[in-house]
Amino acid sequence: MSFAAILTLGFFLGMRHATDPDHVVAVSTIVARERSLRAGAPIGVLWGLGHTITILVVGAAILVFDVVIPARLGLAMELAVAFMLVLLGALNLRGVLARAPLDAVAPAATATARTYGGASWSSTSLRPLAVGVVHGLAGSAAVALLVLGTIHDAPWGIVYLLVFGVGTVAGMLLITAAMAASVVAAARRFQRFNEILVVLTGVASIAFGAYLVYRIGVVDGLFAGTARWTPE
């Protein structure tokens, strides 16, 4: 394959990488809190930028300095993703529970609120960026090892990682834009749709995060004597 073809493949692999279940679950908990396409779509870009930053830093260290990530460290990075999913889900549920008493007192006022549980962290701070950074930690080793098997020149390998990251940003932008558009359209037809969606995404995020904790800690052996880690 020509290098141009490899870079093109890297871009589309980056777009596909954005559709991994843990990625989609994480951003859905954030997008569900938004009530406009303008606020929801950029979440994917911020997530992708955070993911790309980590992929570049960790991946470049592996490519340039031949850094070897021990099994326990690799599993610990994946465990951080699992804990983050549980946290995101809990924040969604807390926001709904905090908003419920206000609805009972002043439903007309709270119905106009754009977010749950106060000001939207997703739009006024770096929540999507931070979530992307954590996901990048979990996936950087696998991406770098894939590059090592294809490109044997470190500088070009870093270029590939950058193109892969651009593809991830593009893929997640499409996903979050589609999510946000669907949420906005449904909210216009069904009253309290946003609140129900926030609860559902919160429960799903906690459940999926708990499953990952079990798989990483028990099945893969992070909490046991022998850790078995295969970057993926």
Side-chain angles (χ1 to χ4, degrees):
M1 294 177 65
S2 67
F3 190 70
I6 292 175
L7 291 182
T8 302
L9 178 62
F11 177 83
F12 286 106
L13 285 176
M15 293 189 70
R16 192 220 65 79
H17 184 67
T19 65
D20 284 358
D22 57 326
H23 300 164
V24 176
V25 170
V27 297
S28 68
T29 62
I30 305 175
V31 174
R33 299 165 65 94
E34 302 297 341
R35 295 192 174 187
S36 71
L37 180 61
R38 182 177 180 180
I43 290 172
V45 176
L46 290 172
W47 182 95
L49 288 175
H51 187 276
T52 300
I53 289 170
T54 314
I55 289 286
L56 280 174
V57 172
V58 179
I62 294 174
L63 292 173
V64 176
F65 302 108
D66 294 323
V67 173
V68 177
I69 298 179
R72 288 196 175 278
L73 178 58
L75 288 175
M77 291 190 296
E78 293 185 1
L79 187 66
V81 172
F83 284 148
M84 183 196 62
L85 290 173
V86 174
L87 175 62
L88 287 173
L91 288 173
N92 272 22
L93 297 182
R94 187 192 68 174
V96 172
L97 292 174
R99 184 175 179 270
L102 295 177
D103 283 336
V105 176
T110 56
T112 61
R114 187 174 63 85
T115 60
Y116 294 89
S120 172
W121 188 19
S122 60
S123 60
T124 62
S125 75
L126 301 179
R127 176 186 286 195
L129 187 68
V131 172
V133 167
V134 175
H135 274 102
L137 283 173
S140 55
V143 176
L145 291 175
L146 175 64
V147 174
L148 282 174
T150 308
I151 304 172
H152 303 288
D153 184 77
W156 284 116
I158 295 173
V159 172
Y160 175 92
L161 292 177
L162 179 60
V163 173
F164 181 92
V166 172
T168 304
V169 172
M172 191 53 75
L173 172 61
L174 293 176
I175 291 172
T176 53
M179 285 182 181
S182 301
V183 169
V184 171
R188 289 173 180 170
R189 297 187 58 186
F190 305 104
Q191 192 176 19
R192 303 183 71 87
F193 176 81
N194 283 91
E195 184 173 330
I196 294 172
L197 186 62
V198 168
V199 171
L200 291 177
T201 55
V203 171
S205 187
I206 292 173
F208 192 63
Y211 160 74
L212 289 179
V213 170
Y214 171 77
R215 193 199 72 184
I216 295 166
V218 179
V219 178
D220 294 336
L222 179 60
F223 301 152
T226 303
R228 300 174 300 278
W229 178 57
T230 303
E232 58 183 8

